[in-house]
Amino acid sequence: MIYVGIDPGDNGAVAILRSKEHMPVVLSQPVQGPRYRRLGADVAQMLKLIEGLNSDRVVIICEKAISIRGRKTSGTVVVGRHVRAWKYVASKTKSKFVEVSPRTWQASLLEKGDTKAQARAYCESAWGRLTEGWTPDECDAACIAVWGLDNNKGE
């Protein structure tokens, strides 16, 4: 089983995890357009990514788009578009698709407090110094993939 953790959004990340013993491969969310002018999810690249795993046992675990008090709604809309794009990719590749709320996976894996710092600490404790260059979004995506593995979302 291959677990693909998704922290959706224009600056989001993807983590591909085969088992807890293996370090996940982390990538930036495939998007269209240059970094300074994002044009949304690049579905063609997303399809290539999942098809390139060469497995019929893929679980895509995507963080839900939720509105957060004090955050612009446009950010939630962008994240929602990415979630819908990943749902489409899952249906086209016959992969299982699971949505998880941020609170659910964070409560399962992290201590209370700054969740970005806690996700980084989790990744460093699990995979060591090799995670030093990871962005906060890449750490979140890796944690989401681990949550999927721990909670048997492949069954």
Side-chain angles (χ1 to χ4, degrees), residues 1-18:
M1 189 68 61
I2 299 174
Y3 296 87
V4 181
I6 309 293
D7 185 22
D10 282 348
N11 295 313
V14 177
I16 301 165
L17 181 67
R18 293 181 186 275

Side-chain angles (χ1 to χ4, degrees), residues 56-137:
D56 59 349
R57 295 177 41 93
V58 175
V59 181
I60 297 172
I61 307 107
C62 192
E63 188 175 70
K64 284 183 183 175
I66 59 167
S67 60
I68 298 172
R69 185 179 290 184
R71 186 187 284 179
K72 290 183 181 180
T73 57
S74 61
T76 305
V77 170
V78 168
V79 170
R81 287 181 184 149
H82 283 270
V83 172
R84 283 193 305 278
W86 279 109
K87 281 182 184 176
Y88 173 78
V89 168
S91 70
K92 289 303 253 185
T93 59
K94 295 181 176 51
S95 301
K96 183 174 180 182
F97 184 83
V98 177
E99 273 187 279
V100 60
S101 73
R103 281 191 178 168
T104 300
W105 73 260
Q106 290 166 356
S108 176
L109 294 175
L110 309 178
E111 304 283 325
K112 291 198 183 268
D114 179 3
T115 58
K116 295 293 184 186
Q118 292 294 323
R120 173 160 303 288
Y122 180 91
C123 290
E124 287 174 356
S125 70
W127 301 294
R129 296 187 67 201
L130 296 171
T131 64
E132 279 182 7
W134 289 8
T135 67
D137 295 316

Side-chain angles (χ1 to χ4, degrees), residues 14 16 27-33 40-53 85-86 88-89 93:
V14 177
I16 301 165
L27 314 156
S28 294
Q29 163 70 40
V31 293
Q32 299 175 7
D42 188 337
V43 175
Q45 288 299 316
M46 293 159 69
L47 281 166
K48 281 184 187 177
L49 175 69
I50 300 303
E51 289 168 348
L53 296 175
W86 279 109
Y88 173 78
V89 168
T93 59

